Amino acid sequence: MSANSRLTIAAHALAWIGLYQRQGHEVATSEQIATSANTNPVVIRRLLGELRRAGLVESRRGVGAGWSLARELESMTLLDVYEAVEPGPLFAMHRTTPDQGCVVGHGIQPAMQSIYERIEETVRHELARVTLASVLRDVLAAPR
Amino acid sequence: MSANSRLTIAAHALAWIGLYQRQGHEVATSEQIATSANTNPVVIRRLLGELRRAGLVESRRGVGAGWSLARELESMTLLDVYEAVEPGPLFAMHRTTPDQGCVVGHGIQPAMQSIYERIEETVRHELARVTLASVLRDVLAAPR
DNA sequence: GCTGTCGTAACAATTAACGTTGCGACTGCC
DNA sequence: GGCAGTCGCAACGTTAATTGTTACGACAGC
């Protein structure tokens, strides 16, 4: 599965902003975060834009502009981030509609759909148990 | 997440073969399955080849060739199929290594890695609870 | 006005999955 | 022994999504 790294990068950005603010800074720029994540500032701005729409971060414009947290990291979970940045489901159906004249082709999609929904629900449950504050704790606890 | 449909198609193929055998046929051809799944026979052969390596199906060659189940559908779970056809993890890390000189860039990957491993474990647990026999039951129970 | 940053559009680059074609290998049947 | 049907597999084209890049206007503080 060509998994995407949107959730990883978004968590990275949030942890970075959170740590930076703890160190007394008001706002973080997309360029600073991009340097840490080794990617392009526009990629960060795009992701943070989605997080802003979800009410997780705020942005200022003008000179001295940048990003800040809209809520405490303690009150943010990976589920919040996941829902903000992940568009589609974990597992996909057929790209083309299967043969509806075939019994299997007709019944397979509803069958798999309900299974997939149950699995995604447990994934969401697990994501909801992890706060961004605990992610940052784990980040800082990594051996160097 | 650009989810792929490999698990869905593989389950489709197994259910199709299982039902076909129940109706008294010995083997199913990749072309029959491809027609039901509305795709190309080579795609089916590729997927079934992976399932064969995992010991879930067998194939014959020559005239009257085709595919048959190597085990009962009751003894096959979606986890068996998932592990046979899904190469990578559900969530990806950064595409490029983050800045190891940054505290967050250095600690983010191990932190996310352990979270992702825990989540994949619960997904595997859920997949293991679903047999292909129950998938086929659900397929046949779909309203027409 | 100048500067630094966001906001966003447009497009290129990369990657993975999927689809297609072609052909050799195998096996049962005539 | 030849024929026909199907798998096995490689090669390549197509498609779609993500990611990366460039460009430029908007905004706000100095």
Side-chain angles (χ1 to χ4, degrees), chain B residues 41-141:
Chain B
V42 178
V43 173
I44 300 296
R45 291 209 285 271
R46 276 202 288 244
L47 269 175
L48 287 180
E50 300 180 47
L51 296 183
R52 182 184 47 212
R53 277 190 281 283
L56 302 184
V57 300
E58 292 167 346
S59 64
R60 294 186 205 165
R61 304 176 71 166
V63 171
W67 302 83
S68 55
L69 299 178
R71 309 196 327 227
E72 295 296 318
L73 285 186
E74 279 77 13
S75 77
M76 261 182 232
T77 71
L78 281 181
L79 177 59
D80 298 322
V81 184
Y82 176 79
E83 293 189 329
V85 304
E86 293 287 352
L90 240 39
F91 300 100
M93 286 297 142
H94 311 63
R95 319 182 81 181
T96 59
T97 307
D99 179 7
Q100 297 299 300
C102 164
V103 189
V104 177
H106 176 260
I108 189 72
Q109 291 202 337
M112 298 306 290
Q113 192 67 49
S114 76
I115 293 167
Y116 289 160
E117 279 168 12
R118 190 146 29 87
I119 292 175
E120 293 216 24
E121 199 45 53
T122 73
V123 169
R124 266 196 266 277
H125 185 255
E126 288 298 313
L127 287 171
R129 293 177 53 196
V130 184
T131 68
L132 268 294
S134 84
V135 170
L136 180 53
R137 256 195 306 281
D138 292 354
V139 165
L140 298 177

Side-chain angles (χ1 to χ4, degrees), chain A residues 1-2 29-30 45-46 52 59-60 62-63 67 95:
Chain A
M1 159 163 310
S2 84
T29 70
S30 62
R45 290 208 286 271
R46 276 202 290 244
R52 183 186 45 213
S59 65
R60 295 188 204 163
V63 171
W67 303 83
R95 317 182 83 181

Side-chain angles (χ1 to χ4, degrees), chain A residues 60-78:
Chain A
R60 295 188 204 163
R61 305 177 71 167
V63 171
W67 303 83
S68 55
L69 299 178
R71 308 194 329 225
E72 295 297 317
L73 285 186
E74 279 76 14
S75 76
M76 260 181 232
T77 72
L78 281 181

